[in-house]
Amino acid sequence: MIAVSHPGKIGDCLYTLPTVRELCKIYNCKADFYTSECCKPIADFLNQQECINDVIIPNDYKIDNYGCGVQPWNMPIPANNYSMIYQLGFKVV
């Protein structure tokens, strides 16, 4: 299984879905999707996507600011649980 993250905002998070679908197709698996509290309103929608195994909002991720997307861009994901991790948050404007 792979992990994909995007901490937010809602619209930007939704724009990652084609990328998640393609990654799942390449790896022939589903993905756990990591996001922040900012995207909690769309968690049910994300869970309904065929390519997503589970939506995870890590308790240890703290939002610093809402500059370019939600920051920090990288989310805490346990590396040992996945064959590959993709951090799709915005690093810079």
Side-chain angles (χ1 to χ4, degrees):
M1 185 170 332
I2 63 173
V4 180
S5 78
H6 194 285
K9 301 173 182 169
I10 289 176
D12 296 331
C13 191
L14 291 174
Y15 282 133
T16 66
L17 286 177
T19 301
V20 175
R21 285 189 192 102
E22 187 62 23
L23 289 169
C24 289
K25 186 176 165 184
I26 290 168
Y27 287 97
N28 192 32
C29 67
K30 290 188 174 191
D32 281 347
F33 193 94
Y34 285 75
T35 192
S36 70
E37 284 287 329
C38 179
C39 291
K40 192 172 186 175
I42 62 167
D44 288 340
F45 173 78
L46 292 171
N47 266 320
Q48 292 174 19
Q49 304 308 302
E50 198 172 295
C51 59
I52 294 178
N53 177 61
D54 196 13
V55 174
I56 300 165
I57 299 173
N59 291 330
D60 55 344
Y61 178 80
K62 303 297 179 214
I63 296 172
D64 285 342
N65 65 74
Y66 295 92
C68 183
V70 170
Q71 297 298 319
W73 62 272
N74 58 331
M75 301 195 72
I77 299 174
N80 295 336
N81 295 359
Y82 302 101
S83 59
M84 190 64 72
I85 296 172
Y86 290 90
Q87 301 271 0
L88 302 180
F90 299 119
K91 292 181 184 179
V92 294
V93 177

